[in-house]
């Protein structure tokens, strides 16, 4: 894939997101176009989306802790230190929205961005450049949502790094789902109003994030046995 093709796909996805939002299509246009894009990748690249046989030969707990702590740290800092109201919370708890946010979007976005676009970029760019370019594109398609764009970018960088390290699409989907689950919770308000000092909570979160990051970084994974 050439860089121009990547940016054309991002522009197309942004336009589709605009149409979906502008005409109140409730995600149906986004989901339909994502499925068609995946079908296109399947036909063009002849690479299966999922492999049935895979091994979870990594320390899952560290990945989970990193996502949870990073979510808490980011929104505690931006919301209560810098008085920024960018908490990712979903008010519409209809069944379709829950399914869409917790299942459909994580699967479709991870398959398109990590499984196909990221791996395509790594064939023409360095891994670092590929991660940064992809994350900018991933952030761009969330521009018209109520998401914190900096948070989306940083999380995409992490998910992309994890995918290149593990080659396990199941893992990034699971982490994406976990992050979206956190957006349905009131965890940030609970932490901010707890009797524990906010500074102490932030320090603990930073320590856990650093610890889990180095554990993930040093985790030896057999990428050939994981579901690509």
């Amino acid at each position: 894939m050439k860089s121009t093709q990547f940016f054309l796909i991002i522009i197309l996805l942004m336009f589709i997101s605009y149409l979906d939002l502008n005409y109140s299509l409730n995600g149906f246009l986004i989901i339909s176009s994502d499925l068609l894009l995946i079908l296109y990748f399947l036909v063009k690249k002849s690479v299966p989306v999922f492999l049935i046989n895979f091994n979870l030969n990594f320390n899952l707990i560290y990945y989970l802790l990193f996502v949870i702590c990073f979510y808490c740290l980011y929104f505690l800092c931006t919301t209560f230190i810098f008085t920024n109201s960018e908490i990712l919370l979903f008010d519409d708890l209809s069944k379709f929205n829950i399914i869409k946010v917790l299942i459909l979007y994580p699967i479709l976005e991870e398959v398109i961005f990590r499984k196909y676009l990221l791996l395509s970029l790594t064939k023409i760019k360095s891994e670092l450049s590929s991660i940064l370019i992809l994350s900018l594109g991933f952030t761009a398609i969330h521009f018209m949502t109520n998401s914190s764009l900096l948070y989306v970018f940083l999380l995409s960088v992490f998910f992309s790094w994890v995918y290149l390290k593990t080659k396990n699409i199941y893992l990034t989907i699971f982490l994406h789902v976990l992050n979206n689950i956190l957006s349905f919770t009131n965890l940030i308000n609970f932490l901010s109003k707890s009797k524990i000092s906010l500074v102490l909570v932030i320090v603990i979160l930073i320590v856990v994030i650093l610890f889990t990051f180095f554990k993930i970084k040093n985790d030896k994974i057999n990428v050939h046995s994981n579901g690509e």
Side-chain angles (χ1 to χ4, degrees), residues 149-167:
L149 297 183
L150 177 59
Y151 179 77
V152 170
F153 174 79
L154 294 175
L155 205 65
S156 176
V157 169
F158 176 68
F159 287 168
S160 299
W161 175 68
V162 167
Y163 182 69
L164 290 181
K165 177 180 173 60
T166 65
K167 295 297 189 297

Side-chain angles (χ1 to χ4, degrees), residues 17-33:
S17 297
Y18 167 77
L19 292 178
D20 192 278
L21 181 65
N22 193 52
Y23 292 99
S24 302
L25 299 177
N26 201 22
F28 286 104
L29 182 60
I30 294 174
I31 293 168
S32 300
S33 60

Side-chain angles (χ1 to χ4, degrees), residues 8 27 31 35 44 49 61-62 69 75 81 85 93 96 109-110 127 131 133 156 167-168 171 185 205 211 215 220-221:
L8 284 174
I31 293 168
L35 288 171
K44 183 178 180 181
V49 176
I61 186 64
Y62 297 129
C69 291
F75 288 107
I81 294 180
S85 57
L93 298 180
F96 176 70
E109 289 179 355
E110 290 306 310
E127 286 194 356
I131 288 173
I133 292 171
S156 176
K167 295 297 189 297
N168 195 312
L171 175 58
T185 70
L205 289 172
F211 174 76
K215 281 290 186 180
K220 298 186 182 301
I221 299 168

Side-chain angles (χ1 to χ4, degrees), residues 3-216:
S3 298
T4 51
Q5 291 176 307
F6 171 80
F7 289 114
L8 284 174
I9 290 173
I10 296 301
I11 292 171
L12 175 63
L13 291 176
M14 289 180 67
F15 180 64
I16 289 171
S17 297
Y18 167 77
L19 292 178
D20 192 278
L21 181 65
N22 193 52
Y23 292 99
S24 302
L25 299 177
N26 201 22
F28 286 104
L29 182 60
I30 294 174
I31 293 168
S32 300
S33 60
D34 285 352
L35 288 171
L36 287 174
L37 187 57
I38 290 173
L39 181 62
Y40 165 76
F41 286 136
L42 280 171
V43 173
K44 183 178 180 181
K45 296 181 178 296
S46 300
V47 178
V49 176
F50 300 108
L51 295 178
I52 297 177
N53 297 320
F54 66 99
N55 294 321
L56 294 175
N57 59 340
F58 46 80
N59 294 312
L60 182 61
I61 186 64
Y62 297 129
Y63 295 85
L64 301 182
L65 279 174
F66 184 95
V67 170
I68 293 171
C69 291
F70 182 75
Y71 176 90
C72 293
L73 178 65
Y74 180 88
F75 288 107
L76 279 177
C77 289
T78 57
T79 306
F80 298 103
I81 294 180
F82 302 108
T83 62
N84 188 320
S85 57
E86 288 187 296
I87 299 180
L88 280 165
L89 289 175
F90 294 98
D91 298 322
D92 188 349
L93 298 180
S94 64
K95 289 182 180 179
F96 176 70
N97 273 319
I98 292 175
I99 294 173
K100 179 177 66 177
V101 172
L102 297 187
I103 299 176
L104 295 179
Y105 282 173
I107 292 175
L108 294 174
E109 289 179 355
E110 290 306 310
V111 169
I112 290 172
F113 281 88
R114 248 61 72 175
K115 175 73 177 181
Y116 289 113
L117 294 182
L118 179 60
L119 290 185
S120 296
L121 283 172
T122 57
K123 295 177 181 179
I124 59 173
K125 304 282 186 182
S126 67
E127 286 194 356
L128 178 59
S129 297
S130 298
I131 288 173
L132 294 177
I133 292 171
L134 181 101
S135 297
L136 286 173
F138 187 76
T139 304
I141 69 163
H142 289 81
F143 183 75
M144 285 170 285
T145 69
N146 63 343
S147 303
S148 166
L149 297 183
L150 177 59
Y151 179 77
V152 170
F153 174 79
L154 294 175
L155 205 65
S156 176
V157 169
F158 176 68
F159 287 168
S160 299
W161 175 68
V162 167
Y163 182 69
L164 290 181
K165 177 180 173 60
T166 65
K167 295 297 189 297
N168 195 312
I169 196 65
Y170 300 98
L171 175 58
T172 58
I173 289 173
F174 187 71
L175 295 178
H176 198 145
V177 169
L178 172 64
N179 175 75
N180 288 8
I181 288 174
L182 291 171
S183 301
F184 278 101
T185 70
N186 204 27
L187 182 58
I188 300 301
N189 286 333
F190 170 77
L191 289 174
S192 66
K193 295 176 181 178
S194 65
K195 295 181 179 179
I196 305 174
S197 166
L198 181 60
V199 175
L200 179 59
V201 171
I202 290 175
V203 169
I204 293 172
L205 289 172
I206 292 173
V207 170
V208 175
I209 286 172
L210 291 174
F211 174 76
T212 53
F213 174 78
F214 284 110
K215 281 290 186 180
I216 293 170

